[in-house]
Amino acid sequence: MNPGVAMATAIAFGAAASAAGPARAEQPAKLAGYNADIGESSISGISSGAFMAVQFATAWSSVIKGVGVVAGGPYWCAKADADDIINGYTLPIMTATGPCMTGPPPELGSSFAKADAKSASGDIDALQFVRRQKIYVFHGYNDAVVAKSVTDAAADFYRHYLGEANRGNLYYQTTIGAGHSLVIAQDPHKDGLNGCGDNAVPYIDQCGYDQAGIILQHIYGALNAPNRGTLSGTVKRFDQSVYTRPDDAGSLSLGDSGYVFVPKACEEGAACRVHIALHGCKQDSGDIDRRYVDDTGYNAWADTNRLIVLYPQTMSSSYLPFNPQACWDWWSYVNHADSYVAKSGPQIRTIKAMLDALTARAVPAPAPAAAAAPAALMVIDTSDISADLAWTPQPGTTSYRIARAGADGQFAAVADVAGASFADSGLTPASAYRWRVSALVNGVEGPASEAAATTRASPSPCDNPGTCPVGK
C-alpha cells in the first residue's frame, strides 16, 4: 500500500491516537455466560466498524435486532471477491478508500445481488429478518472523510429490505455538525477529546449529542437515564484467541485481548441484553488503550439498563494479513474471498462466538402481562425532516399505533409498528409536532401517551466539510 492509501485508510475508519487509562496487569480470561437472550442482541460501529456492523447484522439478522451505522456504508461496498486475484487483490482496497469513502459509492444493485445470493445459499440469514431490525444511520455534515453519498447508500440499502411497511425502523441523522467521529455529549468537555466539527484524532467529537444513548434507545425503546457517576458494573478483559480458533488471533488481525462491560445486575443473574460496539481503525486498544471502551458513552447507559457491552479488538498487521491501521475487514484482507460478508467470514465468525459465549446462560422469559399505555414516550432525537420516538416496551403488546399532529392541529394515524421506537419522516424543518402512541393487543387499541418536539433547522449549504459552521 502506498503512503497515500495507507493514510487514507487510517483516516477513513476512525483513526485515534493517544492512549487513555492506567495499565492493567490482570491476565485475560474466557468470557463468562450470562442470562442474556441472544435474540435481544444489537451492534453498532464507526467507519470500518460501521461497515463491519452492517456485515455482521445482515449475516446474523435472525439474532441482531438493531444496528447503529456511524459514518459507514452499505453491505459489500468494496465488492471484494476471489476473482480479485487477477488484479493482485488491489481493487477492493482501491474501492474501499475511493468510492466507498469519498463517493459516489458503487451502485447498490451489486449489494442487493450479493446479499440475495448469500441469503439464498444459506451463507447468511434469510433477509426477511432485516425487515424487523431497528436501524440508525449517521452522517455529520462536517465529515471530511466519508462522504454523505456513502451513508445515503447505507440508508438506501436498508430501505430496500425494510420496505414501506417498516420505513419507521430507519432513522437517518444528517443535521449534526460533527466531523468524522463517534459523537458524545460530554459536559464539561474532556481533555483529549475533540470539539464538534473536528476531523482529527481521536475521532471522538464532543457535540452535546449523546449518540450512544440515541442508538441504544432507537433499538430498544426508552431506557433509564445513564449513570454519569461511578459505574456499578465493571470492564473486563478477555482472551480473544479462544474465539478465533482454529486460527490464531493475529492471523485474523485481531488483538490478543478484547473487553466487555458487565453491569452488576447482570453479574447477579438478572435478565440482560448484549450490545456489540465496534471501534474504527487505529482505535483498537493497542493504539489508544481503553479510550473507545471508556469514553464513548455506552457504559453509562449499559450500567442502568442491564446491557452487556462487548468491545472486540482488532490489531495492526504489517504483513499477512496486511492491515497496518487495525481496521475491521470489510474489503477481505484476511482471505480475499467474499465470505468476509457471510457467517463464515473469519472476523464475523469470531464475533459470533463471543456473542454465543456471553448469552450461554439465558433463561426463558416469563409470559407477558397485559398491556397498558406506553410509558415514558419521548422524542430522543430530531433532524430537519424526521423525529425519532421511543417509549418503554409494554409486555403483551402486538404492535403500536403512531399518530401525529402539528402544534395545534388534529391527530392523524401515520403508522402501526412493532418494537418500541419509530422514526417519523417527511416532516418540515424547524416546525413543532406532537405525537401519540398507543398499544395494540389483538387489534384493540389501548390508551395513548403523548410527546412533543420541534424539528431542527436545515444546515446551511456548505461545500467544504470540516469548515461548516456548527449549529446549536
Side-chain angles (χ1 to χ4, degrees), residues 283-297:
Q283 287 184 313
D284 62 298
S285 59
D287 283 289
I288 63 167
D289 196 19
R290 275 176 37 172
R291 173 147 290 175
Y292 196 83
V293 175
D294 293 335
D295 290 340
T296 49

Side-chain angles (χ1 to χ4, degrees), residues 13 60-61 77 85 120 128 144 181 188 226 235 275 311 313 327 367 413 432 463:
F13 314 127
W60 285 104
S61 58
C77 189
I85 190 173
Q128 68 188 36
S181 62
V235 174
H275 181 76
Y311 296 96
Q313 298 293 306
C327 306
D463 295 329

Side-chain angles (χ1 to χ4, degrees), residues 37-62:
D37 180 358
I38 195 170
E40 288 291 309
S41 303
S42 59
I43 191 168
S44 64
I46 171 175
S47 217
S48 75
F51 280 95
M52 176 54 78
V54 171
Q55 291 173 185
F56 187 91
T58 305
W60 285 104
S61 58
S62 65

Side-chain angles (χ1 to χ4, degrees), residues 25 76 102 114 128 140 159 170 186 345 358 453:
W76 207 57
T102 60
K114 179 61 70 173
Q128 68 188 36
R159 290 188 183 104
L170 171 68
Q186 185 70 37
L358 287 170

Side-chain angles (χ1 to χ4, degrees), residues 6 74 85 106 120 123 202 292 316 356-357 393 416 427 436:
I85 190 173
D123 291 328
Y292 196 83
S316 61
D356 288 341
D416 289 352
L427 307 181
R436 285 178 178 167

Side-chain angles (χ1 to χ4, degrees), residues 173-416:
Q173 173 60 270
T174 63
T175 60
I176 305 299
H180 189 70
S181 62
L182 195 292
V183 188
I184 64 172
Q186 185 70 37
D187 186 25
H189 279 203
K190 185 172 182 178
D191 290 342
L193 304 181
N194 292 339
C196 195
D198 289 350
N199 288 277
V201 294
Y203 294 95
I204 301 174
D205 283 7
Q206 302 173 97
C207 295
Y209 181 81
D210 192 351
Q211 193 159 64
I214 293 166
I215 290 172
L216 293 173
Q217 291 185 101
H218 181 68
I219 295 170
Y220 292 115
L223 298 175
N224 298 322
N227 181 358
R228 300 301 186 190
T230 301
L231 302 181
S232 65
T234 56
V235 174
K236 301 181 178 184
R237 190 162 62 109
F238 67 93
D239 182 357
Q240 293 197 142
S241 69
V242 173
Y243 308 100
T244 63
R245 293 170 183 167
D247 299 297
D248 294 330
S251 70
L252 307 186
S253 202
L254 296 176
D256 291 333
S257 300
Y259 295 91
V260 61
F261 175 80
V262 183
K264 182 180 179 182
C266 301
E267 290 282 12
E268 296 173 345
C272 294
R273 299 176 282 200
V274 177
H275 181 76
I276 304 164
L278 301 179
H279 62 73
C281 302
K282 299 295 288 182
Q283 287 184 313
D284 62 298
S285 59
D287 283 289
I288 63 167
D289 196 19
R290 275 176 37 172
R291 173 147 290 175
Y292 196 83
V293 175
D294 293 335
D295 290 340
T296 49
Y298 288 101
N299 298 345
W301 284 93
D303 200 50
T304 55
N305 290 284
R306 299 191 308 210
L307 279 166
I308 298 164
V309 186
L310 174 66
Y311 296 96
Q313 298 293 306
T314 60
M315 65 176 289
S316 61
S317 175
S318 59
Y319 182 50
L320 293 176
F322 186 63
N323 180 33
Q325 311 301 338
C327 306
W328 289 99
D329 187 10
W330 64 277
W331 64 89
S332 197
Y333 63 67
V334 172
N335 61 14
H336 306 297
D338 70 352
S339 61
Y340 72 102
V341 296
K343 291 181 178 181
S344 61
Q347 291 185 357
I348 289 179
R349 169 175 53 81
T350 297
I351 296 171
K352 178 57 163 51
M354 296 174 184
L355 179 61
D356 288 341
L358 287 170
T359 58
R361 297 178 62 189
V363 176
L377 173 63
M378 60 184 70
V379 182
I380 59 172
D381 196 16
T382 60
S383 71
D384 54 344
I385 58 172
S386 59
D388 200 6
L389 314 179
W391 53 92
T392 304
Q394 299 301 297
T397 299
T398 52
S399 60
Y400 299 90
R401 179 156 294 160
I402 317 298
R404 181 212 309 145
D408 301 310
Q410 296 294 313
F411 281 95
V414 294
D416 289 352

